[in-house]
Amino acid sequence: KAGVTQTPRYLIKTRGQQVTLSCSPISGHRSVSWYQQTPGQGLQFLFEYFSETQRNKGNFPGRFSGRQFSNSRSEMNVSTLELGDSALYLCASSTTGGVNSYEQYFGPGTRLTVT
Amino acid sequence: GENVEQHPSTLSVQEGDSAVIKCTYSDSASNYFPWYKQELGKRPQLIIDIRSNVGEKKDQRIAVTLNKTAKHFSLHITETQPEDSAVYFCAAPRRNYGGSQGNLIFGKGTKLSVKP
């Protein structure tokens, strides 16, 4: 099976702009989670989508939003970008349920730089 | 609230020595504990996991132990090699809105350096 893919891989934006990142999960996976990774802060959870519904959300401001489509692909949007939003954004997919439902497979990430 | 604490944040060992990384979690209902390895510039990759019905699991030079009473679990790497150098993350399940166990909450990571 093809792995998790993310587009674009690199992005440079200016403060105040907005950005949309895309994630395509492994075929058959219905859960997609998003994380922000910055040096020293590890993997900070943004939100998780399952069957087009947000199932969980981390402690990020409302400028961060997401959605999931019927084919399980997910997008996240950041509006009014700030310098502190510069980070590696990772998405991860997992299966629908059963004993393997917690295993998460990560995409390569989108490196966002805000200037 | 839910929390996963990981120690140490950095670890330097000599090639051939053992390395141990420890994590504690807060939700006593948690039943799945994975470890991820992230090499520089690459995505995190699952290297081993353990479920709450066992106390230890081994895979070649890597082992994970779980103490549910104390709510902590550890990663053990024996006979370390330079290619083991990476950032390691532990994780435990997060609660969904409805209270069921959902995806993962991660520790802040341990940067392991193996010196040749």
Side-chain angles (χ1 to χ4, degrees):
Chain A
K1 286 183 178 179
V4 179
T5 58
Q6 291 185 246
T7 56
R9 293 292 312 280
Y10 302 92
L11 206 49
I12 300 175
K13 289 286 188 178
T14 305
R15 268 184 307 174
Q17 288 186 315
Q18 73 161 10
V19 66
T20 299
L21 311 181
S22 180
C23 172
S24 292
I26 291 172
S27 177
H29 285 193
R30 290 165 61 189
S31 167
V32 174
S33 299
W34 288 90
Y35 298 88
Q36 181 194 67
Q37 187 173 35
T38 53
Q41 291 300 313
L43 294 159
Q44 296 194 79
F45 173 70
L46 283 153
F47 28 66
E48 181 204 3
Y49 286 87
F50 179 82
S51 294
E52 302 179 64
T53 301
Q54 189 181 85
R55 188 158 71 172
N56 217 326
K57 187 177 187 299
N59 296 322
F60 277 80
R63 300 186 296 108
F64 293 82
S65 62
R67 60 177 176 169
Q68 187 179 34
F69 302 95
S70 58
N71 62 356
S72 294
R73 188 178 70 86
S74 178
E75 290 181 346
M76 68 162 281
N77 182 276
V78 188
S79 61
T80 320
L81 284 166
E82 301 177 0
L83 294 178
D85 296 333
S86 295
L88 179 67
Y89 290 88
L90 291 159
C91 77
S93 75
S94 59
T95 56
T96 56
V99 294
N100 295 325
S101 63
Y102 301 144
E103 292 179 17
Q104 296 204 339
Y105 298 87
F106 283 87
T110 294
R111 173 74 62 186
L112 172 64
T113 302
V114 182
T115 62
Chain B
E2 301 165 303
N3 195 30
V4 175
E5 297 283 344
Q6 182 172 349
H7 300 281
S9 56
T10 59
L11 180 60
S12 181
V13 300
Q14 211 59 40
E15 182 177 0
D17 287 350
S18 295
V20 180
I21 303 170
K22 298 181 179 181
C23 286
T24 59
Y25 60 97
S26 57
D27 187 349
S28 57
S30 294
N31 60 5
Y32 174 71
F33 307 94
W35 286 90
Y36 285 79
K37 175 184 180 182
Q38 187 176 27
E39 296 177 73
L40 190 63
K42 296 189 177 181
R43 72 190 77 187
Q45 296 212 320
L46 178 68
I47 56 172
I48 194 167
D49 57 21
I50 190 169
R51 298 182 188 273
S52 59
N53 56 344
V54 297
E56 183 176 9
K57 183 178 179 181
K58 289 183 179 179
D59 183 3
Q60 299 182 346
R61 296 185 297 107
I62 293 174
V64 58
T65 58
L66 171 64
N67 183 327
K68 286 217 73 180
T69 303
K71 291 192 283 187
H72 67 70
F73 57 110
S74 301
L75 177 70
H76 304 254
I77 306 175
T78 58
E79 300 172 25
T80 53
Q81 301 168 3
E83 51 265 38
D84 294 329
S85 296
V87 178
Y88 292 81
F89 294 96
C90 63
R94 175 189 312 275
R95 291 279 183 176
N96 287 327
Y97 291 144
S100 61
Q101 291 199 46
N103 69 347
L104 302 172
I105 180 169
F106 288 85
K108 289 193 178 296
T110 296
K111 184 176 181 181
L112 173 64
S113 300
V114 180
K115 298 179 180 179

